[in-house]
Amino acid sequence: MLSGLPDRFFDWTIGIVSLLLVSLTLYTAYFGVFPDGLQRSAHLLLVMALVYVAALRTSLKDEGSSSPSRTLQTLWIVVVLTAGIIATGHHIINFDAINDRWGEITGLEIIFAVILVIALFDACRRTIGWPIVILAAIFIAYGLLGSYLPDGLAHRGYSLKRVAAQLYLGGGGIFGTPLGVSATFVTGVVVLGALLEKTGAGQVLMDFATGLTGRMRAGPAKAAVVGSSLMGMISGTAVANVLTTGPISIPLMRKSGYRKEAAGAIEAVASTGGQLMPPVMGAAAFIMAEFTSTSYLTIAKAAFLPAVIFYAVLLAMVHFEAVKRNIPLLRDADSITDWQSILRRSYLLAPLPVFVGMLLNGYSIMLSSFWAVAASVIVSFFSRASAQTPRRMVETAVAAANAVIPVALACAAAGCIIGIITLTGVGLKFSTLVVLLSGGHLPLALVLTMLTCLILGMGLPTAAAYILVATLVAPALVDLGVGLLAAHLFVLYSAMLSSITPPVALAAYAAASISQGNPLKIAVLACQFGMGAFAVPYFFVYDPALLGIDVTWVQVILSFLTAIAGGVCASIAMMGVFAYRLSIIERLGFALAALLFVSSDWRLDALAVLVAAGLIVWHMRKGTTHTFTTTEIGSEPVNSTSKGDIQ
């Protein structure tokens, strides 16, 4: 019977559910959110419905529904969809009764809790992969069986009833703060991003970036960096950034001489940093606002300079790589830029100042995103090509829903993890372990924290990686004297970089789908290009002036300049080239200067300036002859010589 359902049925169903998801968020953004249990339950119900309707459509299409395995798969989807809706709907229908019982769970609700966890994990598997499912399952198993573990890891033990109550009822589990952020802040901003993309505002930003850098050396690569930083303002996710800017920048990089793996790697790194770029940033920034009890505007202000430093260092890496590989200028760079067209279409960017202006005037994120969405719809009608007709509005709602799905499911699954951490107190044990392993030394604790983020974040969306590590490790950094906001930004930054860390690097995989390169090679090269950027979070931990907290403008400017100088020195040392190839001694000298710049002590900064300046003068004076052989990026030049080179 199901095999006879037409595509139009699924199109209509997905369109209607997507509109309900978007409408729920926009309605509550303007009129005020519903109680937590209602808002979050409805949000998760709609998200899971979208996942399983799409899965059902795929199942019925693949190989026909007559094969036994296909029939079983279809039956499983229908059963899980129905059970998940019932288990989630119970929260909505019996909201008042659940609140009145103060966490007391009934036998039926224990069954609902188990059903919802199974349905949630299955939905996560289908959309964001196995890593977060495995992690959440391990934590749930720890909650149930932890009393049997050795001392140090063991807890007093919790029954299925207690664990089910923690995960299913109240705000400490699946329906906890992370899902609440997805149901309110994130969805509204994602709708804005989808609208900006559908109306063509994203293309305006990318055209501007291409025109700005087209005549520079490595112009297409720099366009990818600048364009991704701008696109990060409206998308806030690494994979979305790659899929939006990559189809434009990667072919341009290939045209100018980059091989496919390098083009994909540059795009992956550039797109990853977009999650740190205000005003939108990524979903994790909104979750951070809840975790730290800090306004989102404060977080956006604090993240701005580190984001600029990230992209400045990445631009330096791209530039020095182009010098090293002798990547030529793009000959027809002028022909790819139509400045008059960019100016004519610039009105499409009007929603961004509306969003930022309302935030600066103290309005909530939800209301700011609501009016920015309204502004985007209004300006879209200035041109027939961008006008948001009813059909296009449905398409925009579907695009926004597709972007919300992985965030919402990751937040719900992360809620399971947080629920068990809160129940068992393992977070405190983990923080204590970090302090013990580091011996109380902050530099080692920072390295351990970053490694934890990179390992636990592999294959996870940034929001989920941040939630997990912020709960486990951020308190340890605070105990060692790091400011609360700096500690959480360090964790966010490190979690963000897991998008390019092999073997599971989501941004690299997305870039590989466009460049047709090897995903693992792209991830390795992305780490190389992003190596200088890995140092940026250490700068703002040791020099909180970069976050603009309780300091003067003079201190902020000086810290900003020294951080960029340190990042550029690290890039020079990493790439082994400035105007031409460096000797080993010179590379070590620039690495030393980068380390000195990390400190907030003006005397060490002054020493770093002297070291870097002396090296540059020496380097320029000694290198009077030098030739590079043009090669593809990623391959060593075979005929590079200069005075003083160590061969």
Side-chain angles (χ1 to χ4, degrees), residues 381-427:
F381 285 100
F382 291 3
S383 168
R384 180 175 295 181
S386 61
Q388 284 295 293
T389 61
R391 178 183 291 274
R392 287 176 178 168
M393 284 186 179
V394 173
E395 293 173 353
T396 301
V398 172
N402 287 335
V404 168
I405 285 170
V407 176
L409 293 177
C411 286
C416 294
I417 296 172
I418 292 178
I420 298 300
I421 290 172
T422 304
L423 181 65
T424 62
V426 69

Side-chain angles (χ1 to χ4, degrees), residues 192 278-280 296-297 300-301 349-365 367-369 371-372 375:
L192 173 60
V280 174
Y296 173 76
L297 185 58
K301 288 178 180 177
L349 301 176
L352 289 177
V354 170
F355 181 74
V356 175
M358 291 192 67
L359 283 178
L360 291 175
N361 281 283
Y363 291 96
S364 69
I365 301 167
L367 192 59
S368 300
S369 61
W371 284 113

Side-chain angles (χ1 to χ4, degrees), residues 131-132 135 451-461 465 495 498-506:
I132 194 166
L135 273 173
L451 287 175
T452 302
C453 290
L454 296 178
I455 293 171
L456 294 181
M458 280 189 276
L460 297 183
S498 68
S499 296
I500 58 171
T501 306
V504 184
L506 297 179

Side-chain angles (χ1 to χ4, degrees), residues 20 55 82 100 105 115 138 199 229 268 289 293 352 360 392 457 465 475 515 576 592 632:
L20 286 173
T82 304
D100 291 342
I105 191 168
I115 288 173
I138 289 173
T199 58
S229 70
S293 300
L352 289 177
L360 291 175
R392 287 176 178 168
S515 69
L592 174 62
E632 286 190 333

Side-chain angles (χ1 to χ4, degrees), residues 64-146:
S65 61
S66 57
S67 96
S69 62
R70 192 61 54 189
T71 301
L72 286 175
Q73 181 176 324
T74 302
L75 181 61
W76 168 255
I77 292 171
V78 172
V79 169
V80 175
L81 170 61
T82 304
I85 289 175
I86 292 172
T88 312
H90 174 75
H91 248 276
I92 300 172
I93 297 171
N94 299 288
F95 170 72
D96 291 329
I98 291 172
N99 275 352
D100 291 342
R101 281 190 271 115
W102 292 93
E104 273 297 318
I105 191 168
T106 66
L108 181 61
E109 286 172 342
I110 294 175
I111 297 174
F112 283 159
V114 174
I115 288 173
L116 183 58
V117 168
I118 293 172
L120 174 62
F121 284 4
D122 186 62
C124 287
R125 172 187 67 83
R126 295 174 185 276
T127 53
I128 53 181
W130 282 102
I132 194 166
V133 174
I134 294 171
L135 273 173
I138 289 173
F139 273 89
I140 291 175
Y142 176 72
L144 293 170
L145 306 173

Side-chain angles (χ1 to χ4, degrees), residues 14 17-19 21-22 46-47 50 187 190-191 194 395-407:
I14 291 172
V17 177
S18 297
L19 279 173
L21 179 63
V22 169
L46 292 171
V47 165
L50 285 171
T187 305
V190 166
V191 172
E395 293 173 353
T396 301
V398 172
N402 287 335
V404 168
I405 285 170
V407 176

Side-chain angles (χ1 to χ4, degrees), residues 499-546:
S499 296
I500 58 171
T501 306
V504 184
L506 297 179
Y509 284 11
S513 68
I514 300 171
S515 69
Q516 303 302 310
N518 182 291
L520 184 57
K521 289 182 179 179
I522 288 175
V524 171
L525 277 174
C527 286
Q528 178 185 337
F529 284 116
M531 191 58 68
F534 275 84
V536 174
Y538 295 90
F539 281 102
F540 62 69
V541 166
Y542 281 98
D543 191 0
L546 289 171

Side-chain angles (χ1 to χ4, degrees), residues 13-51:
T13 303
I14 291 172
I16 290 171
V17 177
S18 297
L19 279 173
L20 286 173
L21 179 63
V22 169
S23 299
L24 172 67
T25 302
L26 294 180
Y27 177 87
T28 54
Y30 186 80
F31 292 103
V33 295
F34 298 127
D36 290 346
L38 291 177
Q39 183 90 22
R40 299 170 188 181
S41 301
H43 182 70
L44 184 59
L45 186 151
L46 292 171
V47 165
M48 292 180 64
L50 285 171
V51 171

